[in-house]
Amino acid sequence: MSLTNKVAIITGAARGIGFAIAKRFLHDGARVVIADVDDEAGEAAVEELKGLGEVIYVSCNVAEKLDVRNLVAETLNAFGDIDILVNNAGIAVGSDFLTLEEADFDRVLQVNLKGAFLASQAVARHMVEKVQAGGTPGAIVNMSSVNAVLAIPSQIPYCVSKGGMSQLTKATSLALAPYGIRVNAIGPGSIMTDMLASVNSDKAARNRILSRTPLSRVGEPSEIASVAAFLASDDASYITGQTIFVDGGRLPLNYTVAVPDAD
Ligand SMILES: NC(=O)c1ccc[n+]([C@@H]2O[C@H](COP(=O)([O-])OP(=O)(O)OC[C@H]3O[C@@H](n4cnc5c(N)ncnc54)[C@H](O)[C@@H]3O)[C@@H](O)[C@H]2O)c1
C-alpha cells in the first residue's frame, strides 16, 4: 500500500471530499487525523472509518492559529509524526458583487486561504525539523478548484481564495523544495458533495454544469481522493508546485457541450 505507516492530517474531512480522502488514505495504509469544525460530523466520520485503520478526530478551525497549533500537537501526541497534510477545508458564500459584505469576503479568505497558510507553516516546521534530523520529507496537498483560473461573478471571495491557493502552492513548493518536501494542489471541477447539493434539486443548475462538462457527469469525491493519494505518495516524487485539474474536461472546453436529457 502506497501510504503504509504515513501519518496524514486532512482538514475539513468530516464530510465530502475530505472524508473521501480520509477513507482512501486509510485504505492505502495511512494513519489519519480528521480535522474539522463540525465536531458531531467529525466524530461520526471516525466511527464510520475506524474499521479501516487508525483514525482520530481533532476539532480545529483552520482560520485560528491556536487551533492549528493544537492540531499539530494532538497529531504528534497520537501518532508521533506528520508525513502528509491535505489542506481541504473550504467554504463558499454566494453574493452579488455590489452587495457583497466585507465580513463574508474576510470569512471565505480566512478559511480557504489563510487556513491553508497557517496549517502549511505549522506542519512544514515539523517536516523541516524531521528532514534536518535525517528523516524522510513529507508532502502537502492543497484543495484548489477550477475557480483558481475560471471565475463566477456571484462567488468572488471563493474565486479569489482559490486563485490565491494556486500561488500559495507554487510559492511554498519553492520554499520547501530545498528540504525535498513537495507541495501540490488539486483543482476539482463539479464534485457531488454538500457544497453542490442544490444541483440535485435544480435541473437548470445541473444542465448549466453539464453543458460545461465534456465527460457528461458530476465527479465523485473518490475521484478527487485518488489524485490526493497519488500526489501524497512517492509515486509523485518528482512533482511539486503543480495544480492537477480533475474536472471532467471543463478547462480545455471553449463554449459548451450538448447535455443528455436536458429537459
Ligand atoms: N464540491 C465541489 O464541487 C468542489 C469543487 C472544487 C473545489 N472544492 C473544494 O474542495 C474542498 C472540500 O469541498 P466539499 O465539497 O467536500 O465541501 P463540504 O462543504 O462538503 O465539506 C467541507 C468541510 O470543511 C469543514 N470546514 C468548514 N470550515 C472549516 C474550518 N474553518 N476549519 C475546519 N474545517 C472546516 C466543514 O465542516 C465540512 O466538513 C473545499 O476546499 C472546496 O472549495 C469542491
Side-chain angles (χ1 to χ4, degrees):
M1 288 188 288
S2 57
L3 300 179
T4 303
N5 287 330
K6 301 284 185 193
V7 176
I9 294 174
I10 307 160
T11 69
R15 61 170 64 73
I17 290 172
F19 178 84
I21 295 172
K23 190 173 182 179
R24 172 65 191 244
F25 279 19
L26 284 164
H27 181 264
D28 288 358
R31 290 173 283 167
V32 168
V33 177
I34 290 176
D36 208 288
V37 280
D38 186 336
D39 295 344
E40 204 178 315
E43 299 288 4
V46 167
E47 239 356 83
E48 192 175 334
L49 295 177
K50 69 183 185 196
L52 294 177
E54 286 183 74
V55 53
I56 61 166
Y57 173 68
V58 177
S59 183
C60 172
N61 177 355
V62 294
E64 295 291 338
K65 190 160 81 176
L66 288 181
D67 277 19
V68 170
R69 271 193 201 159
N70 181 59
L71 171 63
V72 169
E74 292 271 331
T75 304
L76 293 174
N77 194 36
F79 296 132
D81 202 356
I82 308 169
D83 300 288
I84 299 161
L85 167 67
V86 183
N87 283 310
N88 167 78
I91 56 170
V93 179
S95 169
D96 180 74
F97 173 47
L98 299 180
T99 53
L100 174 61
E101 297 284 345
E102 181 183 354
D104 287 335
F105 186 89
D106 287 347
R107 195 153 58 93
V108 173
L109 268 289
Q110 274 167 11
V111 175
N112 295 11
L113 188 55
K114 187 177 134 184
F117 156 69
L118 289 174
S120 296
Q121 188 185 52
V123 168
R125 284 176 177 157
H126 165 78
M127 288 177 172
V128 166
E129 265 178 32
K130 188 166 89 162
V131 169
Q132 286 172 334
T136 329
I140 298 175
V141 179
N142 293 325
M143 203 52 66
S144 182
S145 166
V146 287
N147 291 303
V149 290
L150 299 173
I152 304 175
S154 60
Q155 288 287 351
I156 286 176
Y158 185 81
C159 295
V160 170
S161 73
K162 296 303 185 180
M165 195 67 132
S166 168
Q167 284 296 77
L168 183 75
T169 301
K170 288 183 193 172
T172 54
S173 77
L174 299 179
L176 295 173
Y179 307 98
I181 298 164
R182 297 178 302 100
V183 185
N184 291 291
I186 301 174
S190 301
I191 307 300
M192 192 44 78
T193 67
D194 289 356
M195 203 176 247
L196 215 72
S198 64
V199 174
N200 276 327
S201 51
D202 183 343
K203 191 137 197 193
R206 170 192 168 271
N207 289 346
R208 238 184 350 262
I209 284 175
L210 293 188
S211 75
R212 293 279 300 136
T213 311
L215 286 183
S216 288
R217 64 178 176 83
V218 165
E220 293 298 326
S222 62
E223 294 177 293
I224 304 302
S226 56
V227 180
F230 166 66
L231 288 174
S233 78
D234 289 344
D235 286 344
S237 54
Y238 202 51
I239 304 178
T240 198
Q242 300 294 320
T243 298
I244 310 285
F245 290 99
V246 186
D247 65 356
R250 182 165 304 162
L251 283 191
L253 175 67
N254 195 356
Y255 306 122
T256 56
V257 288
V259 178
D261 312 319
D263 32 58

